[in-house]
């Protein structure tokens, strides 16, 4: 793809300072961009590279324009502008039109003519696939699944029976949506499986990262609301509800029946207990351990970062003695107050 | 499926109070059930919904019968009873009889006539598949695998060479059983692979959740005993042994050569070091960190739950000073005891 | 495979003490080896089994030779020697020569004649596959991927567009390399996807465990250097760099743009924040939480191991009071020093 700066400025609504006819073919970081690349400054720690960059153009905010030695596109939100420019320069690769001959399709499916289905795919019975849906190679779509318009399954995605996916959703390889939740009843020492008969409902504009798993509901449904963004290797238990525009980083585990609000941000490696509620606007830093409901918006943390192993050993010992230490202090206070 | 309450009562051995001819077609929670649904009360916190439920029938214990305004099935263990009723009302969907034409099968396999193998499946050589086994779409079954009767692989399961699976096992999508364990030897600064020549042996009545991985043994075998229930995204290292009827929640990691007893319950996100032993009847709460053997049954925990980030920062600083704090207290005690 | 001890001794450069014609067909642990197995002693805690082993031969260091009652192969690094012997006795099983008829291949691919591609595989367009590459059943190799000579993808591996894999690499089932990284920009409360246009570059002699995910770079590339060994269920974010001969155990998460040095060893379940650096030669024990750069080689740890739940409850309460405890001690000191 080749775009002139004038075209790009027009597409994203930026002010162009420099050569309107300059041709751009790719993006690059300030440090590594070539003359045909466009770059951007969104994080002040990279401002030092503005003067020396070889980029053919830089997207900057008005405050940083004075530092730019090359062409500039000036706009307030430079990161959002960069996202739009990158989408122009790197349109998605698509499989061929239509349905590959190796695809196996069950009875009573309703597949839009504009859908593209790549090779080695399995589609069960009673599946509904909307306009412009793209299904990558090796995907499994079980019976009674619905996929909304403009949604894309990358390669090797598994959608289990009755799962419902909204529009403009993007699901990465290895994702499993709708596997049975972990429902077991103890029957005199042995564990009896509880049939999992609920569904998974995924809203519009959701993105789901590689090897993430979202279990179907036990009775009612598991729900991922519009605009939610999930990173890789996240585990979401049965009957979890996640509110709109919440983002969750990699390796998070959310136990069953927990309700997470809208506009939350959950750091990587966090674990959240089951049957609790996290209200709107909560931020959890990485590796947080959440055992109780959080009903006040704000930022929460837990965990103790690494220290040299020798120090760690000592502090763990002291931690174990905290209760005794507390007793000692009480005794000292008592003596002093005699 | 349609069942009358008389039929259901007879199947599960419950006492029917109400209309024996009432027809039931599904299950529901007390809050959301319809008139044709059956519901249940297993957790006292939902007792408030007994009076107002629209369910056509409720499974309750004798103690709760007085509160029920609709039909009732009375039985001591209501959750186990619910599990049985749900199995009646929601029989599993099966692929068509026989072997789909797209399946690729190696030499010398022994596949029961009653087995069902769905599309896009690969079966290697010398594979043994028992009666009524169901293999979902996209599964990979490598050479020399054995699968016991009535076992079901859902979609997109991978069983590596020589893995042995018992009867009535259920394996969810994305599971990988029998990949090489993490065996490496340091050869003058570079890492040399140790061939992993052991097997994985899975017992009867095991369930394995989506994207869980169980590595093959280095020399001897990795063993998952009868009745074990594993949730999603669990990692089990080479030569681990897990005893009967132990349950493990999602995102747990168990390092190599560790032995876990019977009837244990391991909370989500727990990490367990290698080459240790956990005895029978141990319960670990979520996100536990286990570095040494646990030889006494009981409940164990670790980790510090979240607090507002400002408080967390302060407490982490104090934690790092614990050793110095301890010294100060000693000095105070010495002074006071002069 | 049958090897005589003379042949094995010659292959690995060990001194043979005993019957040169003794035939060996497998490996075993000292406790479980049969007369036709070879065993080894690499960990002194198993020395007690040297006298009683039924193994046909034992690989030992010169210091342990006196204890051996059977044939011996004497060599300094017994674990490395064992790795070599196991490779002799258990050569890898390979799919049939050539390309299975069920494989789907795109345009303009360059596939070596010596490559073996198993069934149900998808190969995109412009893919380059080197000599002796083995691609197991169900693998997905997207457009513009390069795979170096002697590399093996086990079953059900997904390589996304433009990923580059070195020579002698081994990738286990369920691995996803090159999925989009987690790049989003907040656009007035909604999250906008940042196109991920970088690549993933995997060096030579890398091993990648089951269900591990490695994201493609946002602009520049994600890089895994030569000789790196990754265990199962690891998540590596976009633009991470991992230096040569670093080993990472299972369930580790590494956030985007973090740089990890050479010859590091990272314990299972560790979480590492984004945009930081870990220098060469750092060791992290299991479940470490790393939030800042580590610029000095050495061993680091965090986390507090389990204790009985009752004690844990008490210590968590005390932990939360650490700041107050500190104040109390200050007051006591002030009083005493009046």
């Amino acid at each position: 793809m080749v775009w002139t700066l004038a075209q790009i400025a027009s597409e994203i609504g930026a002010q162009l300072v420099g050569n309107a006819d300059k041709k751009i073919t790719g993006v690059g970081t300030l440090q590594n961009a070539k003359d045909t690349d466009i770059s951007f400054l969104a994080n002040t720690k990279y401002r030092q590279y503005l003067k020396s960059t070889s980029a053919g153009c830089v997207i900057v905010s008005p405050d940083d324009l004075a530092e730019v030695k090359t062409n500039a596109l000036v706009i307030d939100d430079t990161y959002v502008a960069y996202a739009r420019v990158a989408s122009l320069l790197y349109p998605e690769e698509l499989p061929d039109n239509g349905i590959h001959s190796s695809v196996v399709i069950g009875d009573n499916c309703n597949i839009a003519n504009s859908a593209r289905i790549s090779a080695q795919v399995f589609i069960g019975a009673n599946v509904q696939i909307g306009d412009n849906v793209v299904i990558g190679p090796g995907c499994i779509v079980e019976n009674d699944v619905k996929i909304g318009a403009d949604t894309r399954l990358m390669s090797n995605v598994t959608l289990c029976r009755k799962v419902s996916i909204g529009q403009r959703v993007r699901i990465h390889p290895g994702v499993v949506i709708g596997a049975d939740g972990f429902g077991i009843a103890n029957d005199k020492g042995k564990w009896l499986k509880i049939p999992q008969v609920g569904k998974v409902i995924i809203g519009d504009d959701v993105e789901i990262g590689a090897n993430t798993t979202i279990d179907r509901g036990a009775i009612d449904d598991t729900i991922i609301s519009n605009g939610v963004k999930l990173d890789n290797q996240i585990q979401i238990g049965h009957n979890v509800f996640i509110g709109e525009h919440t983002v969750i980083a990699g390796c998070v585990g959310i136990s069953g029946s927990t309700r997470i609000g809208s506009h939350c941000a959950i750091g990587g490696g966090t674990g959240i207990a089951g049957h609790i509620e996290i209200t709107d606007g909560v931020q959890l830093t990485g590796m947080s351990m959440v055992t109780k409901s959080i009903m006040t918006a704000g930022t929460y943390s837990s965990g103790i970062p690494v220290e040299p192993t020798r120090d760690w050993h000592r502090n763990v010992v002291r931690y174990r003695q905290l209760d005794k230490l507390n007793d000692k202090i009480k005794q000292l206070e008592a003596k002093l107050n005699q």
Side-chain angles (χ1 to χ4, degrees), chain A residues 67-230:
Chain A
E67 303 276 315
V68 179
K69 306 296 179 198
T70 178
N71 303 299
L73 290 176
V74 185
I75 195 166
D76 286 332
D77 195 333
T78 57
Y79 199 39
V80 166
Y82 165 73
R84 299 215 164 101
V85 173
S87 297
L88 297 176
L89 290 164
Y90 299 85
E92 286 206 82
E93 289 181 19
L94 296 174
D96 289 341
N97 275 319
I99 299 176
H100 190 272
S101 61
S102 62
V103 175
V104 172
I105 303 183
D107 297 334
N108 298 316
C109 290
N110 188 352
I111 301 177
N113 284 330
S114 55
R116 294 163 189 249
I117 306 183
S118 185
Q120 314 288 31
V121 164
F122 171 85
I123 308 275
N126 310 312
V127 170
Q128 296 178 43
I129 296 180
D131 287 332
N132 305 313
V133 165
V134 176
I135 299 184
C139 289
I140 306 290
V141 178
E142 294 183 3
N143 295 349
D144 303 296
V145 166
K146 293 179 197 175
I147 303 178
D150 302 307
T151 281
R152 181 168 187 172
L153 313 187
M154 310 306 285
S155 306
N156 200 21
V157 169
T158 304
L159 303 183
C160 301
R161 66 194 193 281
K162 295 185 185 168
V163 162
S164 173
I165 310 286
Q167 300 188 10
R168 298 173 303 279
V169 172
R170 193 181 175 89
I171 306 180
H172 290 283
V175 167
V176 177
I177 301 182
D180 282 356
F182 199 55
I184 50 177
N186 196 305
D187 186 15
K188 296 161 197 151
K190 296 186 178 179
W191 294 98
L192 187 67
K193 179 181 179 65
I194 309 285
Q196 303 290 297
V197 306
K199 295 195 281 280
V200 179
I201 313 284
I202 308 282
D204 297 332
D205 301 300
V206 171
E207 183 156 359
I208 304 176
N211 281 0
T212 280
T213 49
I214 304 175
D215 284 346
R216 66 190 316 108
I219 299 178
D220 296 330
D221 302 327
T222 303
I223 296 175
I224 312 295
S225 303
N226 294 340
V228 167
K229 306 293 182 184
L230 304 177

Side-chain angles (χ1 to χ4, degrees), chain A residues 2 30 35 53 56 65 90 94 100 132 134 146 151 167 183 223 227 235 245 255 286-287 326:
Chain A
V2 181
L30 287 172
D35 177 60
T53 186
L65 178 60
Y90 299 85
L94 296 174
H100 190 272
N132 305 313
V134 176
K146 293 179 197 175
T151 281
Q167 300 188 10
I223 296 175
Q235 152 63 5
H245 309 298
S255 302
M287 297 185 87
N326 194 59

Side-chain angles (χ1 to χ4, degrees), chain A residues 277-288:
Chain A
E277 181 174 352
I278 294 181
T279 195
D280 296 348
V282 167
Q283 300 188 314
L284 296 164
T285 58
M287 297 185 87
S288 284

